[in-house]
Amino acid sequence: MLLTLVLIILLAPIVVVLACLVLRRPRPAEFINLAAAILVFLAVLRLLPESLDGPHYFWHGYLIVDALGAWVLLCVSSVYLLGSIYAIGYMRILNEDRRLHRFYALYAGFALTTLTSPIMNNAGVYWIAIELTTLVSTFLVCFELGRESIEAAWKYIVVVSAGISLALLGTVLYYWGASLILGPTYDMTWATLRAAAPRMNPAISTLAFLLVVVGFGTKVGLAPMHTWLPDAHSEGPTPVSVMLSGALLNTAMIGIARYLQISDAAHIGLLPRALVVVLGAASLFVAALFIVRQTNIKRLMAYSSIEHMGILALGFGFGGPLGVAGALYHMLNHSLNKSLMFFGAGNVMRVWGTKKIRAIHDVPRRFPVSGWLWLAGAVAITGAPPFALFLSEIVILRAGLNTPFVWAVFLMALLLIVIFIGFLNHFRALFFSPVPERFSEDSTLRNKSAAPDGFPTVWCTLPMWLALIPLLILGFWWPDFFTRFFAAVAASLSAGGTP
């Protein structure tokens, strides 16, 4: 049964890729992709309770289904489903029907790589899977073929590939360090590395960890390796921005979490967790600086992603049952919330014909439903009650109070207040400020919408509801299943070490 679910999750996107390339028609492509996204999401929901009995291994140990990987699959499949619904309404207005089948082939291929990464049991193969996410998503970032999008795609692949190269070097060092104990040939699984870690040379273990964290931290978008993220997230089509922020970043973060487990087993002191905490705090600081002074609506969402990846890094860096539980809860909440935020940004960007915040005003008049959904999402993404991110951030803050990194708790709290004020100040202007006279006659800032009358359609509004409702429910109710699930992940991550 479990293997069947894994095959469904992996084969459904492959079928979409093949069908899109064979049929070469836009309408069948978009609905085949949506059907695959629904199937993947349902399979992941069924997989979640099964993963608690794990870890389970398949295909000679190259695939692992454990609680941590299954949780990331839930985040990825949720975003894939929401993005696939939104893409039907959004991509139609780009007048790219001739190339639309290629978009959906790439989109499903991107989903496949992000679904594959969390269940890779071999550290080397995991690196390959993460690199494949870069190669596939690069073509999606520049899909619209504008000068800015092509430049963003080049920056994305150069910066991320440089970072991933460091992660490869760290992976090789881990292999070499363990080979001095296990012999020249062995299966480089997570469990094997964890078992060998206590006997590995501490200098090799420390250097290898530094390299993999900087490498995969580049993919996550942690500061100061974040420079690719604002461009790639802001220049790609909105369904692509959603996958980059809500799915891709999580698949790299799981690598950092697994390597933290190995470093704990190696007993090399506080340095590994201190590094992750410092990178998380730096990401929050950089995000706060750029959010307050941001002028581009999609870059505002991108810097918000950097903020929340910093929060995730702090949660995993603090460790312990509370830190892990808060990080996992925040991962799901952010995936849902950031999808909602990019959906709203995509709607206003297409109707107003600009990404400039100063040129977008009185959103509720044009969007009486989706506009208010977007505003509710803006309140939620800042960590305000009663939404779910408030609860996950409180849990992470509490976790940090029981660690040597108490300074990071107070810094996180201060920066979250700054971000709350800065982020919602932009939305005050978007929703409640009148159009300044100097813009009313400015031909470069007038509404030059490429969107037809009636946009956004139900395809663009429905996923906003599907993202917001769980955020509100999860802000009031933490299901008992989540408690058991988070406890199982925390126990597995602490095995062999003392976080």
Side-chain angles (χ1 to χ4, degrees):
M1 177 63 181
L2 198 58
L3 180 58
T4 301
L5 294 173
V6 172
L7 290 175
I8 291 173
I9 292 169
L10 298 181
L11 290 179
I14 295 176
V15 171
V16 176
V17 174
L18 297 176
C20 290
L21 296 179
V22 171
L23 296 176
R24 302 176 64 85
R25 296 171 57 191
R27 298 300 170 260
E30 59 191 19
F31 286 109
I32 292 173
N33 178 70
L34 177 58
I38 295 173
L39 188 61
V40 168
F41 179 72
L42 294 176
V44 170
L45 287 182
R46 184 65 184 85
L47 186 74
L48 279 176
E50 299 290 338
S51 67
L52 285 176
D53 300 328
H56 304 276
Y57 302 98
F58 303 100
W59 291 349
H60 305 288
Y62 280 97
L63 295 185
I64 180 174
V65 176
D66 62 352
L68 177 59
W71 187 261
V72 178
L73 287 180
L74 174 63
C75 299
V76 172
S77 61
S78 299
V79 176
Y80 179 36
L81 175 57
L82 294 173
S84 296
I85 297 172
Y86 184 84
I88 294 177
Y90 182 88
M91 297 304 294
R92 288 179 181 180
I93 69 172
L94 300 186
N95 298 318
E96 291 283 1
D97 279 5
R98 183 176 57 85
R99 297 193 300 133
L100 207 52
H101 67 282
R102 299 175 191 169
F103 170 83
Y104 283 107
L106 288 168
Y107 200 70
F110 186 23
L112 174 64
T113 59
T114 53
L115 290 165
T116 301
S117 302
I119 57 175
M120 288 294 103
N121 188 38
N122 184 289
V125 179
Y126 169 76
W127 179 90
I128 294 172
I130 291 295
E131 179 65 6
L132 286 175
T133 64
T134 305
L135 297 177
V136 176
S137 56
T138 297
F139 294 99
L140 288 167
V141 170
C142 64
F143 181 80
E144 295 186 38
L145 300 179
R147 182 178 62 84
E148 293 84 0
S149 62
I150 293 175
E151 180 182 344
W154 273 111
K155 186 175 183 180
Y156 169 45
I157 196 168
V158 169
V159 174
V160 171
S161 295
I164 290 296
S165 298
L166 294 177
L168 176 60
L169 180 57
T171 305
V172 171
L173 279 178
Y174 267 117
Y175 187 89
W176 176 52
S179 70
L180 300 177
I181 302 163
L182 304 174
T185 303
Y186 64 93
D187 292 331
M188 195 182 178
T189 64
W190 302 114
T192 300
L193 288 176
R194 186 172 66 249
R199 294 180 290 162
M200 286 176 60
N201 183 289
I204 295 176
S205 296
T206 302
L207 179 58
F209 182 81
L210 294 177
L211 288 170
V212 296
V213 167
V214 171
F216 291 124
T218 303
K219 189 74 173 186
V220 172
L222 297 177
M225 299 86 68
H226 67 283
T227 52
W228 65 271
L229 192 150
D231 293 318
H233 286 215
S234 63
E235 296 301 332
T238 296
V240 177
S241 302
V242 168
M243 283 292 289
L244 287 171
S245 182
L248 174 66
L249 304 185
N250 294 331
T251 63
M253 183 62 77
I254 191 179
I256 294 177
R258 293 197 191 278
Y259 277 111
L260 266 174
Q261 181 186 26
I262 296 169
S263 71
D264 287 334
H267 303 293
I268 53 179
L270 285 176
L271 178 60
R273 290 193 175 272
L275 174 62
V276 175
V277 168
V278 168
L279 291 177
S283 301
L284 271 169
F285 180 72
V286 168
L289 290 179
F290 283 91
I291 284 174
V292 169
R293 302 294 297 173
Q294 193 52 244
T295 60
N296 182 302
I297 190 64
K298 288 193 75 176
R299 290 177 75 89
L300 178 66
M301 306 306 152
Y303 279 106
S304 175
S305 295
I306 295 172
E307 169 207 351
H308 289 283
M309 289 304 105
I311 294 173
L312 284 182
L314 288 172
F316 284 119
F318 292 154
L322 278 180
V324 172
L328 293 177
Y329 203 50
H330 199 79
M331 184 181 290
L332 176 62
N333 296 335
H334 172 257
S335 294
L336 294 171
N337 208 157
K338 191 51 58 65
S339 298
L340 168 59
M341 296 310 296
F342 271 115
F343 294 153
N347 290 346
V348 301
M349 181 187 71
R350 286 300 165 187
V351 169
W352 267 264
T354 181
K355 299 176 185 177
K356 296 294 184 182
I357 295 175
R358 62 175 184 166
I360 303 171
H361 298 273
D362 203 11
V363 171
R365 180 178 299 178
R366 179 61 180 82
F367 299 123
V369 176
S370 62
W372 291 110
L373 291 174
W374 194 36
L375 180 60
V379 174
I381 203 68
T382 60
F387 297 98
L389 272 81
F390 172 76
L391 180 57
S392 55
E393 288 176 358
I394 289 296
V395 172
I396 291 173
L397 288 169
R398 286 181 58 195
L401 293 174
N402 299 319
T403 70
F405 312 112
V406 176
W407 61 268
V409 174
F410 293 101
L411 181 61
M412 174 181 168
L414 175 62
L415 292 175
L416 287 178
I417 294 172
V418 173
I419 291 171
F420 173 85
I421 296 172
F423 199 91
L424 290 185
N425 184 55
H426 292 305
F427 273 78
R428 178 194 58 78
L430 290 168
F431 277 72
F432 305 114
S433 294
V435 181
E437 291 185 6
R438 65 180 183 278
F439 293 148
S440 60
E441 300 300 327
D442 189 339
S443 62
T444 65
L445 295 175
R446 278 183 293 176
N447 183 350
K448 301 182 296 180
S449 171
D453 292 338
F455 180 83
T457 62
V458 66
W459 294 111
C460 296
T461 305
L462 176 61
M464 299 180 74
W465 282 108
L466 294 178
L468 181 64
I469 291 174
L471 287 170
L472 186 58
I473 294 174
L474 293 176
F476 289 99
W477 176 53
W478 183 315
D480 290 338
F481 174 75
F482 282 12
T483 301
R484 292 187 287 113
F485 204 94
F486 298 157
V489 176
S492 68
L493 289 180
S494 63
T498 306

